[in-house]
């Protein structure tokens, strides 16, 4: 299994500001994903980030709000832009092992005031 | 109707009990079925992965998939207090050696009492 780290682990941000979340994997992976887990809810996919191409966003999520970078096969960032209290969530990155298994990072707990 | 339905619980059992966790789904294209365990303030941890129909056993955990009924289960034998967590089912239609987009159930919160 892959070892995934995320930074920051948690943050409290003011409305209207932006936060960039980093995801680092200990091995090269083709597919990385960003999920959101709102309080008391399950996980919802925000976008798929492949190295060397634009991220693919799910319905309801747009690049202007959640820009993603994928500069290499071990790293990705997700930015939450112009934040509002509704963006308060846990943001998780995950990677596909290439053998039908997907592994998750520890998550970034974001609170917007 | 949600693509994946899972009873959120909470489910409380005594230590040593057999626990049954279930999910139903509506998309017949799903081929890959996973169970994740999530402790409070942690990321989901992959417990079991099953392809198509059938059973898979790993220690105290058994995963079952019945594609004809669109129903999956996770059984935990001899449950322990350390099993107390939220259990999430997840499914994917993607093939070709990768999982692609996972669709998650709401998660079932399990408490195992000593």
């Amino acid at each position: 299994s892959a070892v995934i780290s995320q930074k920051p682990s948690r943050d409290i941000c003011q409305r209207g500001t932006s936060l960039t979340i980093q995801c680092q994997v200990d091995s090269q992976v083709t597919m990385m994903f960003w999920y959101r887990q709102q309080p008391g809810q399950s996980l919802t996919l925000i976008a798929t980030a492949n190295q060397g191409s634009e991220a693919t966003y799910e319905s309801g999520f747009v690049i202007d709000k959640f820009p993603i970078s994928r500069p290499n096969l071990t790293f990705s960032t997700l930015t939450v832009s112009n934040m509002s209290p509704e963006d308060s969530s846990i943001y998780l990155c995950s990677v596909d092992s290439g053998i039908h298994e997907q592994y998750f990072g520890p998550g970034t707990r974001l609170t917007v005031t | 109707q949600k693509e994946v339905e899972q009873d959120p619980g909470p489910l409380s059992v005594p230590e040593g009990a057999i626990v049954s966790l279930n999910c139903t789904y509506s998309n017949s294209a799903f081929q890959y079925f996973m169970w994740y365990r999530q402790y409070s303030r942690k990321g989901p941890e992959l417990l079991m992965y099953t392809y198509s129909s059938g059973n898979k056993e790993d220690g105290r955990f058994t995963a079952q998939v019945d594609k004809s009924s669109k129903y999956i289960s996770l059984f935990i034998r001899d449950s322990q207090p350390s099993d107390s967590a939220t259990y999430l089912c997840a499914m994917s239609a993607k093939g070709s050696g990768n999982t692609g987009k996972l669709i998650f159930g709401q998660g079932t919160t399990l408490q195992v009492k000593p």
Side-chain angles (χ1 to χ4, degrees):
Chain A
S1 64
V3 177
I4 305 166
S5 60
Q6 285 186 234
K7 290 181 180 179
S9 59
R10 62 193 310 147
D11 208 340
I12 300 173
C13 300
Q14 290 194 343
R15 181 195 299 259
T17 62
S18 297
L19 176 71
T20 296
I21 302 168
Q22 299 178 5
C23 179
Q24 180 76 51
V25 189
D26 69 340
S27 57
Q28 294 185 340
V29 293
T30 302
M31 300 183 74
M32 296 181 74
F33 307 89
W34 287 98
Y35 287 82
R36 181 173 74 181
Q37 187 174 28
Q38 293 182 302
Q41 302 296 315
S42 191
L43 283 78
T44 300
L45 182 65
I46 297 171
T48 301
N50 293 324
Q51 194 266 339
S53 63
E54 294 288 329
T56 303
Y57 289 84
E58 296 298 309
S59 175
F61 298 96
V62 295
I63 187 171
D64 289 347
K65 176 68 175 177
F66 298 102
I68 288 171
S69 76
R70 181 78 198 275
N72 57 53
L73 292 174
T74 63
F75 187 78
S76 178
T77 67
L78 169 76
T79 299
V80 186
S81 303
N82 188 24
M83 288 183 285
S84 66
E86 292 71 32
D87 294 319
S88 296
S89 282
I90 300 171
Y91 291 85
L92 296 135
C93 69
S94 70
V95 303
D96 192 290
S97 68
I99 53 171
H100 306 297
E101 296 177 344
Q102 197 168 127
Y103 298 97
F104 284 81
T108 294
R109 186 177 295 268
L110 171 62
T111 302
V112 184
T113 61
Chain B
Q1 182 188 7
K2 293 182 180 179
E3 279 191 285
V4 180
E5 297 277 2
Q6 183 178 7
D7 186 341
L11 181 62
S12 181
V13 302
E15 183 175 354
I18 297 175
V19 176
S20 173
L21 304 167
N22 311 293
C23 290
T24 59
Y25 63 95
S26 57
N27 188 347
S28 58
F30 288 145
Q31 301 180 66
Y32 302 93
F33 304 91
M34 295 138 207
W35 286 96
Y36 287 86
R37 178 174 63 194
Q38 187 174 27
Y39 290 113
S40 180
R41 299 181 179 272
K42 301 288 186 183
E45 170 194 7
L46 180 64
L47 275 179
M48 304 279 287
Y49 144 71
T50 308
Y51 170 68
S52 193
S53 285
N55 294 359
K56 187 173 185 178
E57 187 174 322
D58 185 0
R60 296 185 295 112
F61 298 90
T62 299
Q64 289 185 351
V65 175
D66 182 350
K67 291 190 71 178
S68 63
S69 301
K70 297 188 177 68
Y71 188 87
I72 71 170
S73 301
L74 178 70
F75 297 96
I76 307 174
R77 292 183 297 279
D78 187 24
S79 56
Q80 303 295 310
S82 59
D83 294 327
S84 299
T86 297
Y87 290 80
L88 298 149
C89 64
M91 307 177 189
S92 169
K94 184 80 172 176
S96 303
N98 58 68
T99 51
K101 174 182 178 180
L102 294 182
I103 307 298
F104 281 85
Q106 300 96 305
T108 299
T109 300
L110 171 67
Q111 183 180 27
V112 181
K113 295 183 176 180

